[in-house]
Amino acid sequence: MEGLFLVLIGGVLFSQAWYVLGMYSEGRSMGIFVGGMGLLALGTVVFAFDPVLLTGLDNGKTVAGGAQVLGQITVMKTVIVVWALYAIGVAASGLWDFDERAIGFYSAFAAIATLVPFLFFVGELERVYGGMVWLSLSGATLILTMVAAVMFFYQALQFNGLRLLSGWSLLIGGIAVGGIGLAIVGFVGLN
C-alpha cells in the first residue's frame, strides 16, 4: 500500500510540475494523467491493499501490538486520502479550467494534514521499526509537506515569482517521493 501510493503521488507531482513549468500546452493533458493516478492512489485505500511496511513485524519478530499498528495504518491511510483528493482536485482544475487558487488553499490543508503524520512517524516509527521504515515514511511525508507549502504560496497567494520554485520543487519532490516508493516496492519484492 505505502510503496504503490508513493509511486503514484510521485507521478502526480512530476506531471503537475511539467504543467507549472509550462511544458504542457493545455491543462487537459495534465488533468488526464493526474486524475488517473489520483483515482489509483485512492484505490489503494478503497480496495484495502495490505500495508507493506507497517505490519508490526521487524525481521519476523513482533515489535508492535495490534492497536499500535492500527493507529500507524490509520495515519498512513489519512495521508493517502488527503493526497489522492489533492490529485483529483488538480485534475479537475486542469480538465475544466477551474481557478488554481482553490488548489492552493487545499495545498495549505494538505501541508498541515501531512505535517502531523510526519511528526507522528518521526516520533513513533524509529522506536518501533528501526531505520528503514522510519526514514522512508518520514522522508516521504516531509517532502510532501514542503511541496504542499510551496504550492500554497504560489497558487493561493498568487506569488508569480514562485512559479519556477514551485515547478522545480514539484519536479524534484515527485522524483524523490516516487523513488522512495520504488525502493519500498523493490524491498518488499526481495523479501
Side-chain angles (χ1 to χ4, degrees), residues 83-109:
W83 280 93
L85 291 176
Y86 172 84
I88 292 168
V90 168
S93 176
L95 284 171
W96 294 297
D97 284 333
F98 292 150
D99 187 22
E100 293 179 349
R101 291 186 78 161
I103 300 300
F105 286 116
Y106 185 79
S107 294
F109 171 74

Side-chain angles (χ1 to χ4, degrees), residues 7-8 15 22 59 67 102 148 150 156 186:
V7 168
L8 290 170
S15 183
N59 292 328
V150 170

Side-chain angles (χ1 to χ4, degrees), residues 82-159:
V82 165
W83 280 93
L85 291 176
Y86 172 84
I88 292 168
V90 168
S93 176
L95 284 171
W96 294 297
D97 284 333
F98 292 150
D99 187 22
E100 293 179 349
R101 291 186 78 161
I103 300 300
F105 286 116
Y106 185 79
S107 294
F109 171 74
I112 294 168
T114 311
L115 177 65
V116 173
F118 164 70
L119 297 173
F120 175 78
F121 289 152
V122 165
E124 181 78 14
L125 295 184
E126 182 184 23
R127 180 176 50 81
V128 176
Y129 293 102
M132 189 203 73
V133 175
W134 168 75
L135 188 59
S136 61
L137 293 181
S138 298
T141 53
L142 177 63
I143 293 168
L144 291 173
T145 300
M146 292 188 306
V147 166
V150 170
M151 291 309 293
F152 165 71
F153 286 110
Y154 171 62
Q155 289 182 324
L157 302 179
Q158 300 289 314
F159 291 152

